[in-house]
Amino acid sequence: MSRLSPARRAALNALLEAERSGSFVRDVLERADARPSDARDAAFALRLALGVTATRGCVDELLDRFLAKPNRVKLPVRMALRVAAFELVYLDAMPEVAVSQGVELVRARAASAAGMANAVLRRVAEARVGYLAAEDALAEARAAFSRARRAGLPLWLVEQIVAARGEAAAEQLTAAELEPAPVSFHLNPRNAPADTSAGVGEELVPLPGCFTPGNASAFIATRALARGEAVASDTTAQLIATTCVAAGSCLEIGAGRGTKTYVMAAQSERAGMARTHVAAELSPRKVELSRKRLEESGLARGVSFATGDCRHLDQVLTACDAAAGERMRYDTVLLDAPCSGTGTMRRHPEIPWRLESADVAPGGALPALQLALLTEASRRVAVGGQLVYATCSVLAEENERVVDAFLASEEGRDFELAPLSEAPIFQEALFHETGAYLHEAENERDMLQTIPALGRPDGHFAARLVRRG
């Protein structure tokens, strides 16, 4: 009998708590009482917990081959088996160590199941290479199965990514899926961090205010975020937020906790642009978090907030319209649409195994909601104004096809696609280089679609629509 490591025990406890409460496992392990005191143990516990969450469907598929009665395995035992199987299959752990520790994890939850765990995990260790190579699949389907299994993703989802973005992009995404995404920040121009000793890493995008430290944890430890001196934000998300900065009035739909609101306020300071900003969000809690962060950061000037279901903007914006004495139309409208999040799965490992194929199918719940929101948003765009539609998805059904459906509609007839790189902010000298970068990144229809890759930012989509009349 070997001694159970603190990291594996913490990972199992966090996974079970997340399962019971519906919390994100990362949030559970951020609590001091849930993570090991040793920094290396804490890092390994997080690696295990996120990995198991990201690959659970594949891990279960392999475990079920060797379980006599898979449906009768209780959750604590199955979760312990998942931790060990993830180590064996995806971390290429030494079988003796992973099996031994897996048995102890199971023993800690159900001593009578230890013998079963030993037998099952030994067989997983023997089968892992063949499983990842999809040796059990038909020859013509082997490559597709292997790609999905190596990334720990559902086959249907990988097939949709291939259909939307092609083989090369799908291989790029799946190769990066189980590796950490780079962590970037946006700096506050009014209250810049005094300590950037964490060092600057690779510049992912030439963007004023964007900071990618060589050691993100060390930068976070300076408490610059807590003091409002910076906000954590994917580099491409910052780029899209910057695109929406223009003089005049702005309506942001789906503002969430206000990350893009913060970036836009910061960039307008840098550009010296006078603007007003309404941040609309369904969740009152998120609105208050955003309000507090902006106020503490000194970036709240000109920003107001609205709460409600943005499919019904006349209700959500009642107070704004009353204050203006008219039904407001805005020079810029940003719709940061709710989506599958398939471009951010490295950061949010719960996504792939919670997402259902029907959700993102043509006419599915997400594309239907996105089109409804885009149509409603368009009614609030002033003549000559810009409407930016953005998601953090890599799926065409949520991106280009939503835009095309809108342009083909009655409401969309007054709009036309325009290059993001020609947005007003990129006419400013400080942002010329950013505009040139964005021009190179746009596709043949002047839209932006990024794909996650090793060491590169997340997958985001954006289209800019200008109202002609």
Side-chain angles (χ1 to χ4, degrees):
M1 187 183 302
S2 62
R3 181 172 175 272
L4 180 58
S5 78
R8 293 178 178 87
R9 186 189 301 275
L12 176 58
N13 291 342
L15 285 161
L16 289 171
E17 182 175 337
E19 188 80 17
R20 284 192 297 265
S21 66
S23 304
F24 295 124
V25 72
R26 186 190 296 274
D27 292 343
V28 174
L29 278 169
E30 283 181 354
R31 296 199 329 254
D33 64 325
R35 64 177 183 266
S37 56
D38 181 83
R40 288 173 299 180
D41 284 338
F44 188 40
L46 183 62
R47 180 77 175 95
L48 291 174
L50 294 178
V52 169
T53 303
T55 64
R56 63 183 295 167
C58 291
V59 166
D60 278 349
E61 180 185 42
L62 185 55
L63 284 169
D64 287 352
R65 294 183 182 184
F66 308 120
L67 289 164
K69 296 179 179 178
N71 294 332
R72 297 186 62 179
V73 177
K74 293 184 178 179
L75 179 62
V77 171
R78 178 172 286 279
M79 199 68 83
L81 291 172
R82 285 172 178 165
V83 173
F86 171 75
E87 280 196 75
L88 288 165
V89 177
Y90 292 102
L91 298 186
D92 199 24
M94 292 179 60
E96 312 84 62
V97 175
V99 171
S100 174
Q101 287 289 294
V103 170
E104 295 312 310
L105 269 182
V106 170
R107 193 192 307 278
R109 293 288 172 169
S112 61
M116 174 275 292
N118 184 61
V120 168
L121 291 174
R122 287 183 182 279
R123 297 192 69 184
V124 168
E126 294 168 357
R128 58 182 176 173
V129 174
Y131 176 75
L132 292 177
E135 292 176 355
D136 56 309
L138 295 174
E140 59 270 24
R142 192 164 295 149
F145 272 93
S146 178
R147 174 185 284 151
R149 290 176 182 178
R150 284 184 282 112
L153 293 173
L155 178 63
W156 73 264
L157 180 53
V158 175
E159 289 177 337
Q160 281 216 12
I161 294 168
V162 171
R165 307 299 165 205
E167 292 280 349
E171 189 61 34
Q172 173 181 306
L173 182 150
T174 53
E177 180 59 26
L178 297 178
E179 297 300 321
V183 180
S184 297
F185 304 89
H186 195 83
L187 305 183
N188 186 343
R190 298 176 62 87
N191 183 24
D195 184 359
T196 54
S197 58
V200 179
E202 178 187 359
E203 183 181 65
L204 302 180
V205 171
L207 180 64
C210 185
F211 175 59
T212 304
N215 187 331
S217 297
F219 180 70
I220 292 169
T222 68
R223 297 190 58 75
L225 275 68
R227 293 190 298 269
E229 297 168 356
V231 64
S233 177
D234 177 77
T235 301
T236 309
Q238 294 184 44
L239 180 62
I240 292 170
T242 300
T243 300
C244 300
V245 176
S249 56
C250 174
L251 171 63
E252 179 188 7
I253 299 170
R257 298 182 181 185
T259 301
K260 286 189 174 72
T261 316
Y262 182 110
V263 174
M264 285 188 276
Q267 298 293 45
S268 67
E269 288 270 346
R270 290 188 178 91
M273 285 186 173
R275 59 192 288 277
T276 59
H277 186 125
V278 177
E281 164 58 35
L282 177 63
S283 166
R285 177 176 173 274
K286 290 180 180 179
V287 166
E288 287 311 307
L289 288 171
S290 176
R291 187 196 308 274
K292 181 180 178 183
R293 178 158 63 182
L294 284 176
E295 288 174 351
E296 291 177 348
S297 303
L299 294 172
R301 185 179 61 187
V303 181
S304 58
F305 299 87
T307 307
D309 184 342
C310 292
R311 290 174 295 182
H312 310 289
L313 283 176
D314 286 350
Q315 297 175 20
V316 174
L317 299 175
T318 297
C320 299
D321 291 344
E326 61 177 330
R327 185 177 180 277
M328 281 289 294
R329 289 197 175 191
Y330 297 84
D331 300 304
T332 297
V333 176
L334 166 61
L335 170 56
D336 199 0
C339 68
S340 65
T342 46
T344 64
M345 294 185 293
R346 294 176 298 180
R347 302 184 199 273
H348 305 292
E350 288 82 4
I351 288 172
W353 296 102
R354 288 184 181 178
L355 188 65
E356 301 287 341
S357 59
D359 294 338
V360 291
L366 282 171
L369 174 60
Q370 290 151 356
L371 180 57
L373 286 166
L374 182 56
T375 300
E376 183 72 354
S378 71
R379 299 180 178 125
R380 289 290 182 148
V381 182
V383 174
Q386 60 178 357
L387 168 59
V388 177
Y389 174 74
T391 77
C392 53
S393 172
V394 298
L395 303 179
E397 289 297 341
E398 300 181 89
N399 295 342
E400 299 97 319
R401 288 175 192 159
V402 170
V403 172
D404 287 342
F406 168 71
L407 289 172
S409 70
E410 181 70 18
E411 294 84 354
R413 67 180 182 178
D414 291 333
F415 289 83
E416 62 183 5
L417 281 166
L420 283 89
S421 57
E422 294 180 8
I425 187 69
F426 302 121
Q427 312 313 309
E428 302 291 325
L430 181 62
F431 294 89
H432 280 175
E433 187 180 358
T434 308
Y437 170 89
L438 185 52
H439 176 70
E440 292 299 317
E442 290 167 336
N443 63 23
E444 66 282 357
R445 297 186 64 196
D446 298 322
M447 302 182 196
L448 176 70
Q449 176 70 71
T450 60
I451 303 295
L454 289 168
R456 302 301 297 170
D458 289 338
H460 289 267
F461 172 84
R464 179 171 170 260
L465 303 155
V466 174
R467 182 166 208 148
R468 298 187 302 264

